[in-house]
Amino acid sequence: MQYLQINNLTFKYTSSEIFSNLNLSFEKGWSCIVGSNGSGKTTLFKLIARILNPQEGNIIGNELVYYCEQELHEKPNGFDDFIYTYNTKTFKLKELLHIEDEWFYRWETLSFGERKRIQIAIALFLEPNVLLLDEPSNHLDIKTKEILIKSLKNFKSIGILISHDRELLNSLCHNTVIIKNKKIYNYKTTFQKATEELDSYFNFLQKENDNINSKVKKLQNNIQAQKEKVSQSKSRLSKKNVNTKDKSLKEKINLAKLTGKDKSDSKLVTSFSKKAHVLSSKRNEIEKNFDKGITIKDEKSKKEKFSFLLQKGQLLLGEKKILKYENLSLNKSDKIAIIGDNGVGKSSFLKLLISKISSLKNYLYLPQEIDLKQKENLFEAIKSLNNEKKGELFTLIQRLSSNPKNLLNNNTTSPGELRKLFIAKALLDNIQFIILDEPTNHMDIDSIESIEQALKEYQNTLIVVSHDKTFVKNIKARIYTILKGVGDFYELKEADAANRI
């Protein structure tokens, strides 16, 4: 049977250890590796692909690996072999992934989704023993993602996937590796079931800790009680205030000391202390988890009213492309998710909307890519906060699954972490209107779930553009779409929305 085996692997970047004595195995079929940003997922891929070498240990079964990197600026390996091979296999792959021949001659102008489909087609064409995919669904629309899933189900060797896309993970993978707090957890099941099992395991460990803490507390109470007895006994047996002529009392004190009752109490203190120490050492190491979801209690905000009307019109997208839209009425607490294929005009519609609300001061718009000026303004605004407000911001960031000290002291913040910082600041300021374009791109799954919960509880107006079906469903938004080829922007009926997401 074909397999990939990682044996006693240790890898460090200078002084920072990423993996220590790591052992994992992968068999035929799809596995996934999930974990927070910076947990070592991509590093592990590079070790399997022999781009990096471990300091200790080895990997067996990685002689023929194809690594589909997340970024696709250059043409992928095997590009020329694929386009100049004319046989049934290449024709089927082009048909399966909806690839047009003219794409190969204009790589620089292809969308991310088109480049990704070519990359996957080449990987399937080369038939590697191990196929590594790093975030293959980033920027893909719902239709293209369905095409991707269908094509990857045809791969019969060892496939390993890094992704934040829960739909993709649950559709493909039957083996799940979770990296959490530098520990590796491996489950022979889907991502959803694996996370449920891991949560149950952590709950079990927490219950054990609670039981230990309860016993330690009782011992500490006993220790305190015994210490008080010892103190009283020492006071009672002291001759300091005894009259020098009172020989009878002195003899009684000497007799009490001889019987050693105070020594017995002291021994109990020592015994209880040792038991408490032993019990404390048995506590399970559990990463501290913060509650997800954010609700800002602001009585002033509750009284504020918000309403906005975008009147019926049309938007020119190109020489022959027009986007038509009916009246769009937005009120306080409305949540709208916009879905649709790539290139139909979703981002252009958001820009139109923003041009109409430019008079509003209390709104946040986050595009797919955040520019340097936006980032600089954010950090300047955070620096100007007083200590109380900074403390509140720290709490919000923690509840969005980030370490605030690392985030706020780092000018090279990752795109996913930067988005969380913007959203936390908007929630702190109780922004009336938040507009987000593909907010889950670049985020790990814990972060996405935290953002989901926060936006679900958000009490003001929200518009989101997203291809993430699970995310859209969980924030409880009304669904709007733009129909490709027709250019109409309209709200989906409940039944249609359920079918689409």
Side-chain angles (χ1 to χ4, degrees):
M1 176 183 273
Q2 188 182 353
Y3 67 94
L4 175 72
Q5 185 77 40
I6 299 172
N7 301 310
N8 305 316
L9 184 143
T10 295
F11 180 79
K12 298 178 182 179
Y13 284 117
T14 59
S15 61
S16 177
E17 188 171 76
I18 309 300
F19 299 111
S20 177
N21 199 34
L22 174 65
N23 290 280
L24 278 175
S25 62
F26 300 91
E27 297 177 357
K28 282 187 178 181
W30 281 101
S31 301
C32 62
I33 300 174
V34 296
S36 60
N37 295 331
S39 61
K41 304 185 297 295
T42 299
T43 297
L44 184 55
F45 264 20
K46 289 181 177 179
L47 287 162
I48 294 171
R50 293 176 293 170
I51 297 169
L52 297 174
N53 296 313
Q55 279 82 31
E56 295 178 20
N58 61 13
I59 301 175
I60 299 170
N62 63 335
E63 292 79 16
L64 186 57
V65 176
Y66 193 92
Y67 176 25
C68 292
E69 297 183 59
Q70 183 175 346
E71 299 297 329
L72 261 179
H73 301 299
E74 304 295 329
K75 294 175 182 176
N77 293 331
F79 183 86
D80 290 339
D81 289 341
F82 182 75
I83 66 172
Y84 294 121
T85 299
Y86 301 95
N87 58 23
T88 304
K89 185 178 176 182
T90 56
F91 291 144
K92 281 185 177 180
L93 285 170
K94 289 174 187 175
E95 182 181 3
L96 180 65
L97 286 155
H98 298 212
I99 294 171
E100 299 175 18
D101 284 330
E102 56 95 13
W103 289 5
F104 297 104
Y105 305 102
R106 58 176 188 89
W107 175 263
E108 289 73 17
T109 62
L110 292 179
S111 68
F112 179 90
E114 290 164 343
R115 290 185 182 190
K116 182 56 66 175
R117 278 187 268 173
I118 289 176
Q119 184 192 46
I120 298 296
I122 293 169
L124 297 176
F125 166 72
L126 293 174
E127 297 183 344
N129 291 335
V130 180
L131 175 54
L132 308 175
L133 297 181
D134 195 346
E135 295 290 0
S137 63
N138 263 3
H139 304 293
L140 297 188
D141 58 43
I142 293 171
K143 183 179 178 181
T144 307
K145 196 188 300 181
E146 290 170 353
I147 293 169
L148 176 70
I149 292 171
K150 183 180 177 182
S151 66
L152 293 176
K153 283 182 176 178
N154 290 329
F155 185 67
K156 304 302 180 185
S157 295
I158 298 170
I160 310 176
L161 179 68
I162 292 173
S163 180
H164 66 264
D165 190 318
R166 291 158 291 181
E167 180 197 4
L168 180 64
L169 294 172
N170 287 316
S171 297
L172 277 180
C173 303
H174 297 282
N175 181 48
T176 303
V177 176
I178 302 174
I179 305 176
K180 197 171 184 68
N181 198 25
K182 293 191 175 182
K183 291 184 179 180
I184 307 293
Y185 304 91
N186 194 4
Y187 296 93
K188 303 292 183 183
T189 186
T190 63
F191 165 73
Q192 182 64 39
K193 289 182 180 177
T195 54
E196 289 170 0
E197 286 189 36
L198 186 59
D199 286 343
S200 295
Y201 173 63
F202 284 151
N203 287 336
F204 168 74
L205 293 183
Q206 187 58 57
K207 285 179 181 177
E208 281 194 335
N209 282 359
D210 292 342
N211 186 37
I212 289 170
N213 291 338
S214 177
K215 290 179 179 178
V216 168
K217 189 174 181 180
K218 286 181 181 178
L219 285 169
Q220 287 172 339
N221 290 336
N222 289 337
I223 290 167
Q224 185 60 36
Q226 290 303 319
K227 281 182 176 179
E228 288 175 3
K229 282 185 179 181
V230 170
S231 178
Q232 289 171 1
S233 178
K234 285 181 178 179
S235 176
R236 191 174 64 251
L237 298 178
S238 173
K239 298 178 184 178
K240 187 176 180 181
N241 296 316
V242 176
N243 191 312
T244 54
K245 295 181 180 180
D246 194 344
K247 293 182 179 180
S248 174
L249 181 57
K250 285 182 177 180
E251 286 178 3
K252 286 180 181 179
I253 291 172
N254 288 335
L255 183 63
K257 284 183 177 180
L258 190 64
T259 59
K261 288 182 179 179
D262 60 321
K263 291 180 181 178
S264 176
D265 289 334
S266 295
K267 284 181 180 179
L268 280 174
V269 170
T270 303
S271 174
F272 289 152
S273 296
K274 284 181 179 178
K275 286 180 181 179
H277 178 72
V278 170
L279 274 173
S280 297
S281 67
K282 292 181 179 179
R283 285 193 186 106
N284 302 299
E285 289 185 21
I286 305 174
E287 184 180 11
K288 188 174 181 181
N289 287 320
F290 295 93
D291 292 336
K292 294 178 180 178
I294 299 168
T295 303
I296 305 292
K297 294 181 180 179
D298 190 327
E299 296 303 322
K300 181 182 175 183
S301 173
K302 288 180 181 179
K303 296 174 184 178
E304 289 179 354
K305 292 185 178 180
F306 173 83
S307 63
F308 170 77
L309 175 64
L310 178 66
Q311 293 185 333
K312 176 180 178 180
Q314 58 185 35
L315 176 64
L316 185 64
L317 300 175
E319 290 183 3
K320 296 182 179 178
K321 290 176 68 176
I322 295 175
L323 172 62
K324 301 174 185 176
Y325 52 90
E326 297 296 320
N327 287 346
L328 176 63
S329 176
L330 296 171
N331 297 298
K332 184 178 172 66
S333 77
D334 280 347
K335 292 186 176 72
I336 289 176
I338 302 173
I339 64 174
D341 295 345
N342 289 332
V344 296
K346 300 185 300 297
S347 295
S348 297
F349 181 77
L350 287 189
K351 289 176 182 176
L352 167 71
L353 187 64
I354 290 158
S355 70
K356 302 293 184 183
I357 64 168
S358 55
S359 59
L360 290 175
K361 292 181 180 179
N362 199 13
Y363 80 92
L364 168 70
Y365 166 56
L366 277 185
Q368 289 189 32
E369 302 299 331
I370 298 166
D371 64 37
L372 183 60
K373 187 64 177 174
Q374 277 181 293
K375 181 178 175 181
E376 289 175 348
N377 289 342
L378 173 66
F379 278 92
E380 285 298 319
I382 291 170
K383 282 181 183 178
S384 68
L385 294 175
N386 60 40
N387 288 336
E388 183 182 352
K389 282 292 181 182
K390 278 184 182 176
E392 291 178 25
L393 184 64
F394 272 41
T395 301
L396 295 180
I397 293 167
Q398 284 174 335
R399 298 191 73 176
L400 294 179
S401 299
S402 279
N403 184 323
K405 291 183 180 178
N406 292 345
L407 191 54
L408 295 176
N409 292 328
N410 186 1
N411 285 327
T412 58
T413 310
S414 70
E417 296 290 272
L418 189 59
R419 285 180 173 277
K420 285 194 280 185
L421 191 50
F422 267 103
I423 292 171
K425 180 65 167 56
L427 294 171
L428 178 70
D429 296 339
N430 211 11
I431 292 290
Q432 280 185 311
F433 191 2
I434 295 179
I435 304 168
L436 306 173
D437 195 351
E438 294 291 355
T440 60
N441 279 352
H442 311 295
M443 284 191 186
D444 58 68
I445 293 172
D446 279 349
S447 299
I448 292 172
E449 290 177 346
S450 298
I451 293 290
E452 259 176 12
Q453 191 64 29
L455 294 180
K456 180 182 174 182
E457 296 176 16
Y458 179 60
Q459 296 173 2
N460 293 314
T461 310
L462 173 71
I463 292 184
V464 172
V465 167
S466 181
H467 298 306
D468 187 330
K469 286 184 179 181
T470 310
F471 177 80
V472 168
K473 184 177 180 180
N474 288 347
I475 64 172
K476 306 292 184 185
R478 287 157 43 202
I479 311 298
Y480 280 73
T481 190
I482 300 174
L483 199 59
K484 190 173 184 178
V486 178
D488 285 344
F489 175 82
Y490 62 97
E491 183 176 3
L492 289 173
K493 294 180 181 178
E494 191 171 338
D496 292 332
N499 290 332
R500 293 289 296 273
I501 65 168

